[in-house]
Amino acid sequence: MNVAVVIATYNERDNLPDLADAILKYPSYRIIVVDDNSPDGTGQIADSLAANFPERVHVIHRTGARGLGRSLIEGMKRALADGADLIFEMDADFSHDPKYLRDMSDCAVDADLVIGSRYLNGGSVVNWPLRRLILSAFANRYVRFVTGLTAHDCTSGYRCWRKESLARLPLERVISDGYAFLVETLYLADRAGCRIREVPIMFVERRQGASKLSGQVLMESIVVPWRLRLKL
């Protein structure tokens, strides 16, 4: 099976090499790094990985407006064009452990979208301060209330898509740039009738580097669920 793992990066030079090593231990898995013009040289690290693994690591260098959503869309489109059967999206900071890739791909046998869930029974979050745990729990309840989604973890960025389900989504019409992209694409998948499953994961706060969470990202995450609801 052809499996592509899309990783959007911004200032992740210290994490990317080890993460790539962990993913490439799985036969038939390949990586698409979408670097958002990182000033720390992450793009050059990705190019070195691609030179060492030319059949299994591909790099997209973005130079336009930055944003998680924009980067993931480019990576997903590349994965579909390259014929991937399963397309993962995951963070570059090891908060999404590659050890769950196999469990999630197995679950995709009878699902269109598999979510690595922190809040499903058996899932957990490690090394977050209490205020962030409260914020994340509130965000999930808020999204579920506004949009009617039933997933336990609507804001998880660790996901596995079947190519048929991802190809049905109108990615060119997605309006979110930041983390709200995760809610929007989940909403679109739900509205398209996709079979959505969840696999419990242990989410561990990033090993190195700084969080990309900002006030602008939080504001978008508040507004986008209502914009989606008003489209009903």
Side-chain angles (χ1 to χ4, degrees), residues 41-76:
T42 300
Q44 288 71 33
I45 298 293
D47 286 337
S48 296
L49 290 168
N52 291 332
F53 304 97
E55 300 299 321
R56 302 189 64 192
V57 179
H58 309 281
V59 184
I60 299 172
H61 295 278
R62 297 193 67 254
T63 57
R66 282 176 37 210
L68 176 69
R70 297 171 190 265
S71 294
L72 287 176
I73 285 174
E74 284 204 36
M76 289 170 168

Short mmCIF file of all heavy atoms in Angstrom, two decimals, residues 41-76:
data_model
loop_
_atom_site.label_atom_id
_atom_site.label_comp_id
_atom_site.label_asym_id
_atom_site.label_seq_id
_atom_site.Cartn_x
_atom_site.Cartn_y
_atom_site.Cartn_z
N GLY A 41 16.26 27.13 8.73
CA GLY A 41 16.91 26.17 7.86
C GLY A 41 16.25 24.81 7.79
O GLY A 41 16.84 23.85 7.27
N THR A 42 15.01 24.71 8.28
CA THR A 42 14.30 23.44 8.21
C THR A 42 14.19 22.94 6.77
O THR A 42 14.32 21.75 6.49
CB THR A 42 12.89 23.55 8.81
OG1 THR A 42 12.99 23.96 10.18
CG2 THR A 42 12.15 22.23 8.74
N GLY A 43 13.98 23.87 5.84
CA GLY A 43 13.86 23.48 4.43
C GLY A 43 15.11 22.82 3.90
O GLY A 43 15.04 21.84 3.13
N GLN A 44 16.26 23.29 4.32
CA GLN A 44 17.53 22.70 3.88
C GLN A 44 17.72 21.30 4.49
O GLN A 44 18.22 20.39 3.83
CB GLN A 44 18.70 23.60 4.27
CG GLN A 44 18.83 24.89 3.45
CD GLN A 44 17.74 25.91 3.77
OE1 GLN A 44 17.29 25.99 4.92
NE2 GLN A 44 17.30 26.66 2.77
N ILE A 45 17.30 21.14 5.75
CA ILE A 45 17.34 19.81 6.38
C ILE A 45 16.45 18.85 5.60
O ILE A 45 16.82 17.70 5.33
CB ILE A 45 16.88 19.89 7.84
CG1 ILE A 45 17.82 20.79 8.66
CG2 ILE A 45 16.78 18.50 8.45
CD1 ILE A 45 19.22 20.25 8.83
N ALA A 46 15.27 19.32 5.22
CA ALA A 46 14.35 18.48 4.45
C ALA A 46 14.96 18.11 3.10
O ALA A 46 14.83 16.96 2.64
CB ALA A 46 13.02 19.21 4.25
N ASP A 47 15.63 19.05 2.46
CA ASP A 47 16.28 18.75 1.18
C ASP A 47 17.37 17.68 1.34
O ASP A 47 17.54 16.82 0.47
CB ASP A 47 16.89 20.02 0.59
CG ASP A 47 15.85 20.97 0.03
OD1 ASP A 47 14.75 20.51 -0.31
OD2 ASP A 47 16.15 22.18 -0.06
N SER A 48 18.10 17.73 2.46
CA SER A 48 19.12 16.71 2.72
C SER A 48 18.49 15.34 2.88
O SER A 48 19.02 14.33 2.38
CB SER A 48 19.92 17.07 3.97
OG SER A 48 20.63 18.28 3.80
N LEU A 49 17.36 15.28 3.57
CA LEU A 49 16.66 14.00 3.73
C LEU A 49 16.19 13.48 2.37
O LEU A 49 16.29 12.28 2.08
CB LEU A 49 15.46 14.18 4.66
CG LEU A 49 15.79 14.42 6.14
CD1 LEU A 49 14.54 14.87 6.90
CD2 LEU A 49 16.35 13.14 6.77
N ALA A 50 15.68 14.38 1.54
CA ALA A 50 15.22 13.98 0.21
C ALA A 50 16.37 13.46 -0.65
O ALA A 50 16.20 12.53 -1.45
CB ALA A 50 14.52 15.15 -0.48
N ALA A 51 17.57 14.06 -0.48
CA ALA A 51 18.73 13.59 -1.23
C ALA A 51 19.16 12.21 -0.77
O ALA A 51 19.60 11.38 -1.58
CB ALA A 51 19.89 14.59 -1.05
N ASN A 52 19.00 11.93 0.53
CA ASN A 52 19.38 10.62 1.07
C ASN A 52 18.34 9.55 0.79
O ASN A 52 18.68 8.37 0.69
CB ASN A 52 19.61 10.72 2.58
CG ASN A 52 20.84 11.51 2.94
OD1 ASN A 52 21.79 11.57 2.16
ND2 ASN A 52 20.83 12.15 4.10
N PHE A 53 17.08 9.96 0.67
CA PHE A 53 15.97 9.02 0.42
C PHE A 53 15.13 9.55 -0.74
O PHE A 53 13.97 9.95 -0.55
CB PHE A 53 15.11 8.87 1.67
CG PHE A 53 15.85 8.45 2.90
CD1 PHE A 53 16.28 9.39 3.84
CD2 PHE A 53 16.14 7.11 3.13
CE1 PHE A 53 16.96 9.01 4.98
CE2 PHE A 53 16.83 6.71 4.27
CZ PHE A 53 17.24 7.66 5.19
N PRO A 54 15.67 9.56 -1.94
CA PRO A 54 15.00 10.22 -3.07
C PRO A 54 13.64 9.62 -3.45
O PRO A 54 12.81 10.33 -4.03
CB PRO A 54 16.01 10.08 -4.21
CG PRO A 54 16.86 8.93 -3.82
CD PRO A 54 16.96 8.98 -2.33
N GLU A 55 13.41 8.37 -3.13
CA GLU A 55 12.13 7.74 -3.47
C GLU A 55 11.11 7.86 -2.35
O GLU A 55 9.93 7.54 -2.57
CB GLU A 55 12.35 6.26 -3.79
CG GLU A 55 13.30 6.01 -4.95
CD GLU A 55 12.78 6.62 -6.25
OE1 GLU A 55 11.56 6.56 -6.48
OE2 GLU A 55 13.60 7.18 -7.00
N ARG A 56 11.56 8.32 -1.19
CA ARG A 56 10.66 8.26 -0.04
C ARG A 56 10.45 9.59 0.67
O ARG A 56 9.55 9.70 1.50
CB ARG A 56 11.17 7.22 0.97
CG ARG A 56 11.31 5.83 0.37
CD ARG A 56 11.60 4.79 1.43
NE ARG A 56 10.50 4.67 2.37
CZ ARG A 56 10.61 4.00 3.52
NH1 ARG A 56 11.76 3.46 3.87
NH2 ARG A 56 9.56 3.90 4.33
N VAL A 57 11.26 10.58 0.36
CA VAL A 57 11.07 11.90 0.97
C VAL A 57 10.98 12.94 -0.13
O VAL A 57 11.85 13.02 -1.01
CB VAL A 57 12.24 12.26 1.93
CG1 VAL A 57 12.01 13.66 2.51
CG2 VAL A 57 12.36 11.24 3.05
N HIS A 58 9.91 13.72 -0.10
CA HIS A 58 9.70 14.79 -1.07
C HIS A 58 9.49 16.10 -0.32
O HIS A 58 8.92 16.12 0.78
CB HIS A 58 8.50 14.49 -1.96
CG HIS A 58 8.54 13.13 -2.58
ND1 HIS A 58 9.31 12.84 -3.69
CD2 HIS A 58 7.94 11.97 -2.23
CE1 HIS A 58 9.17 11.56 -4.01
NE2 HIS A 58 8.34 11.01 -3.13
N VAL A 59 9.93 17.18 -0.90
CA VAL A 59 9.89 18.48 -0.21
C VAL A 59 9.17 19.50 -1.09
O VAL A 59 9.43 19.61 -2.28
CB VAL A 59 11.30 18.98 0.12
CG1 VAL A 59 11.21 20.28 0.94
CG2 VAL A 59 12.10 17.93 0.88
N ILE A 60 8.28 20.24 -0.45
CA ILE A 60 7.63 21.39 -1.08
C ILE A 60 8.05 22.63 -0.29
O ILE A 60 7.88 22.68 0.93
CB ILE A 60 6.09 21.26 -1.07
CG1 ILE A 60 5.65 20.01 -1.85
CG2 ILE A 60 5.43 22.51 -1.65
CD1 ILE A 60 4.16 19.72 -1.72
N HIS A 61 8.60 23.61 -0.99
CA HIS A 61 9.00 24.86 -0.34
C HIS A 61 7.94 25.93 -0.65
O HIS A 61 7.73 26.29 -1.81
CB HIS A 61 10.36 25.33 -0.86
CG HIS A 61 11.49 24.41 -0.51
ND1 HIS A 61 12.11 24.44 0.73
CD2 HIS A 61 12.11 23.42 -1.21
CE1 HIS A 61 13.07 23.53 0.76
NE2 HIS A 61 13.09 22.89 -0.40
N ARG A 62 7.29 26.41 0.40
CA ARG A 62 6.29 27.46 0.22
C ARG A 62 6.91 28.82 0.49
O ARG A 62 7.68 29.00 1.44
CB ARG A 62 5.10 27.25 1.16
CG ARG A 62 4.33 25.96 0.90
CD ARG A 62 3.00 25.95 1.63
NE ARG A 62 2.09 26.94 1.09
CZ ARG A 62 1.78 28.08 1.69
NH1 ARG A 62 2.28 28.39 2.86
NH2 ARG A 62 0.95 28.94 1.14
N THR A 63 6.54 29.80 -0.31
CA THR A 63 7.07 31.15 -0.14
C THR A 63 5.97 32.20 -0.05
O THR A 63 6.25 33.38 0.14
CB THR A 63 8.01 31.52 -1.31
OG1 THR A 63 7.29 31.38 -2.54
CG2 THR A 63 9.22 30.61 -1.33
N GLY A 64 4.72 31.78 -0.20
CA GLY A 64 3.61 32.74 -0.13
C GLY A 64 3.15 32.96 1.30
O GLY A 64 3.92 32.82 2.26
N ALA A 65 1.88 33.32 1.46
CA ALA A 65 1.31 33.54 2.79
C ALA A 65 1.41 32.26 3.61
O ALA A 65 1.12 31.17 3.12
CB ALA A 65 -0.14 33.99 2.67
N ARG A 66 1.86 32.42 4.86
CA ARG A 66 2.06 31.26 5.71
C ARG A 66 0.75 30.78 6.30
O ARG A 66 -0.23 31.50 6.35
CB ARG A 66 3.02 31.61 6.84
CG ARG A 66 4.47 31.64 6.45
CD ARG A 66 5.35 32.08 7.59
NE ARG A 66 4.89 31.59 8.88
CZ ARG A 66 5.08 32.22 10.03
NH1 ARG A 66 5.67 33.39 10.04
NH2 ARG A 66 4.64 31.70 11.15
N GLY A 67 0.76 29.51 6.76
CA GLY A 67 -0.42 28.97 7.43
C GLY A 67 -0.45 27.47 7.37
O GLY A 67 -0.11 26.86 6.34
N LEU A 68 -0.84 26.83 8.49
CA LEU A 68 -0.91 25.38 8.55
C LEU A 68 -1.84 24.82 7.49
O LEU A 68 -1.51 23.86 6.79
CB LEU A 68 -1.41 24.95 9.94
CG LEU A 68 -1.64 23.46 10.14
CD1 LEU A 68 -0.32 22.70 10.14
CD2 LEU A 68 -2.41 23.19 11.43
N GLY A 69 -3.01 25.43 7.35
CA GLY A 69 -3.98 24.94 6.38
C GLY A 69 -3.45 24.98 4.96
O GLY A 69 -3.60 24.02 4.20
N ARG A 70 -2.85 26.09 4.58
CA ARG A 70 -2.31 26.22 3.23
C ARG A 70 -1.25 25.16 2.96
O ARG A 70 -1.20 24.56 1.88
CB ARG A 70 -1.68 27.62 3.05
CG ARG A 70 -2.65 28.77 3.17
CD ARG A 70 -1.90 30.10 3.19
NE ARG A 70 -2.75 31.22 3.53
CZ ARG A 70 -3.34 32.00 2.65
NH1 ARG A 70 -3.19 31.76 1.36
NH2 ARG A 70 -4.09 33.02 3.03
N SER A 71 -0.38 24.93 3.95
CA SER A 71 0.69 23.95 3.77
C SER A 71 0.13 22.54 3.65
O SER A 71 0.56 21.77 2.77
CB SER A 71 1.66 24.03 4.96
OG SER A 71 2.33 25.26 4.99
N LEU A 72 -0.82 22.19 4.51
CA LEU A 72 -1.37 20.84 4.46
C LEU A 72 -2.12 20.59 3.16
O LEU A 72 -2.05 19.49 2.59
CB LEU A 72 -2.29 20.60 5.66
CG LEU A 72 -1.57 20.43 7.01
CD1 LEU A 72 -2.59 20.31 8.14
CD2 LEU A 72 -0.67 19.20 6.99
N ILE A 73 -2.83 21.60 2.65
CA ILE A 73 -3.53 21.42 1.38
C ILE A 73 -2.55 21.13 0.26
O ILE A 73 -2.77 20.23 -0.57
CB ILE A 73 -4.38 22.67 1.07
CG1 ILE A 73 -5.62 22.69 1.97
CG2 ILE A 73 -4.81 22.67 -0.42
CD1 ILE A 73 -6.45 23.94 1.83
N GLU A 74 -1.44 21.85 0.21
CA GLU A 74 -0.44 21.59 -0.84
C GLU A 74 0.11 20.18 -0.72
O GLU A 74 0.29 19.47 -1.72
CB GLU A 74 0.70 22.61 -0.76
CG GLU A 74 0.32 23.97 -1.30
CD GLU A 74 1.53 24.77 -1.76
OE1 GLU A 74 2.49 24.17 -2.30
OE2 GLU A 74 1.51 26.01 -1.60
N GLY A 75 0.39 19.76 0.51
CA GLY A 75 0.91 18.41 0.70
C GLY A 75 -0.10 17.33 0.35
O GLY A 75 0.25 16.31 -0.27
N MET A 76 -1.35 17.55 0.71
CA MET A 76 -2.40 16.58 0.40
C MET A 76 -2.60 16.45 -1.10
O MET A 76 -2.75 15.34 -1.64
CB MET A 76 -3.71 17.01 1.07
CG MET A 76 -3.71 16.86 2.57
SD MET A 76 -5.18 17.65 3.29
CE MET A 76 -5.12 17.01 4.96
#
